[in-house]
Structure formats: structure tokens, C-alpha cells
Amino acid sequence: GENVEQHPSTLSVQEGDSAVIKCTYSDSASNYFPWYKQELGKRPQLIIDIRSNVGEKKDQRIAVTLNKTAKHFSLHITETQPEDSAVYFCAASNRNTGGFKTIFGAGTRLFVKA
Amino acid sequence: NAGVTQTPKFRVLKTGQSMTLLCAQDMNHEYMYWYRQDPGMGLRLIHYSVGEGTTAKGEVPDGYNVSRLKKQNFLLGLESAAPSQTSVYFCASSYHGQGKTEAFFGQGTRLTVV
């Protein structure tokens, strides 16, 4: 079945440094790749997404890149701040005949040290 | 506009008991999903629905049943709870269309089976 692998599982950076999280997906039919942020005890919330017809997208301090040939995509956070500390999930969706199913990576716990 | 609401927020069950988790959304979304979240395993799709009256299996459907009798509600049932079903359950919904396909999550239900 479809699979999304996410690395690293834990990432610790100093405030102000950059953080990069990488994901690979198995289903070549995937065409939508969202990233979610989940703070402790809260629900996951979308922070940025990218579609398969775009190679890169940026929103202030966060950016996503997509390499469809290699089937991998990455999240980049620049100038990290303590409030960026959370679990980040990548996901890939497969718009099949009957529906729209999203498969999530296992998550990356990001610690930003002040 | 409440978004996605799950009930209950917490529940403790004895092995073999049954229960139903209720998810309600007021955004007129076509798609609804049930995920379980376990440490180190991210969000795994249990079942999903692409519209009223239709359901489909996700990655980990065994031991669960679902129903979508009304567009705004998606019910997750456990007929005979097992300790392996101890988890945090998230419901989500999304719009089906050309625009954003972001999934909106409920606040989660923490279920413990003893």
C-alpha cells in the first residue's frame, strides 16, 4: 500500500538556526503534499502545502520543495524560534477514483533551544 | 462555525466493551476521516468517507466500524474494545474540489482500554 517515510524522527536546533525535515512517498499518483504542525496536546493544523505541478513554495519563514521524479519533498524552517517547537507531519494524498485519501508520515519532533 | 467537533474527549473502557465516537463538522465538507495517533507512528488512517452513505477502509481498519448516515457526521465504532486500541483518535474533514484540500482536525479523543 501507499507509504510515507519521514526523517528525522527528532530534531534539535538552536534558536535562529534552520531546520529541515524530509519525506519520501511511494505512490506516484500522489499530487498534494501538506505539512501539519501539532503542538503538545493539540490537534494537527496545516502550515503549508504544495501541489505536484509546483517545485517550491514559500510562506515567510517556511518553505517546501518537491522532487516528483525522486518522490521526495522537504520542509525548511529558517530563523527558528522557540514557538516552532512541535511535532511536524508530512503527508501525501492520492486522488483515486473513489476518493481522496491522505497518508501521513510518522512525524518529526522539533526542539528549538533558546 | 465550530469546525470539527469530537465527542467524547476522554474515555476509559474495559476490554470487550463497545463504544461509539462521534465526529461532527459544520463546513459542508464531503470527505471525512478517522485517524489514530500512537507514539512514533504518526497518524494512521482507520476509515474514511467520500460522501453521505459511503465509507472505505484505510490503513488500519480491523476492529473498527464506521457510518456516515448524515453528511455532517461520521461515527467510529468499537464493537469489542482491546488494549491495542488504546490511542488518541482524531477525526478530520476536507473539501473536495479544485481549491484547497486541507484537512481540518477535531481536538482528539483519548481512549484507554484496560
Side-chain angles (χ1 to χ4, degrees), chain A residues 9-20:
Chain A
S9 56
T10 306
L11 179 60
S12 183
V13 300
Q14 202 68 37
E15 182 179 3
D17 288 350
S18 295
V20 180

Side-chain angles (χ1 to χ4, degrees), chain A residues 58-63 76-81 83-84:
Chain A
K58 190 174 181 180
D59 183 3
Q60 298 182 353
R61 294 187 299 109
I62 58 174
H76 304 251
I77 306 174
T78 58
E79 300 171 27
T80 53
Q81 301 167 3
E83 50 265 38
D84 293 330

Side-chain angles (χ1 to χ4, degrees), chain B residues 2-67:
Chain B
V4 180
T5 304
Q6 291 179 231
T7 52
K9 292 185 175 60
F10 303 94
R11 185 73 186 269
V12 178
L13 286 180
K14 293 183 179 178
T15 297
Q17 285 186 316
S18 64
M19 78 163 294
T20 300
L21 281 68
L22 172 64
C23 177
Q25 53 94 4
D26 60 3
M27 297 174 281
N28 202 34
H29 285 166
E30 289 293 333
Y31 296 142
M32 296 188 74
Y33 316 81
W34 275 106
Y35 292 90
R36 59 177 288 173
Q37 184 175 33
D38 303 292
M41 302 189 76
L43 292 155
R44 291 184 292 169
L45 184 63
I46 304 171
H47 287 279
Y48 66 104
S49 168
V50 302
E52 183 179 320
T54 68
T55 63
K57 294 180 180 180
E59 300 172 77
V60 288
D62 294 342
Y64 305 95
N65 56 75
V66 288
S67 63

Side-chain angles (χ1 to χ4, degrees), chain A residues 44-109:
Chain A
Q45 291 191 298
L46 181 78
I47 53 171
I48 195 167
D49 56 15
I50 191 167
R51 296 187 180 275
S52 58
N53 58 349
V54 176
E56 185 174 356
K57 183 177 178 180
K58 190 174 181 180
D59 183 3
Q60 298 182 353
R61 294 187 299 109
I62 58 174
V64 291
T65 58
L66 170 66
N67 183 329
K68 280 215 74 180
T69 303
K71 290 194 280 189
H72 65 70
F73 56 113
S74 301
L75 176 72
H76 304 251
I77 306 174
T78 58
E79 300 171 27
T80 53
Q81 301 167 3
E83 50 265 38
D84 293 330
S85 296
V87 178
Y88 291 81
F89 293 99
C90 64
S93 62
N94 172 16
R95 189 181 288 273
N96 58 30
T97 305
F100 190 80
K101 190 168 64 173
T102 301
I103 302 297
F104 285 81
T108 296
R109 187 172 294 278

Side-chain angles (χ1 to χ4, degrees), chain A residues 24-35:
Chain A
T24 59
Y25 60 98
S26 60
D27 187 351
S28 55
S30 297
N31 56 12
Y32 175 64
F33 307 91
W35 286 86

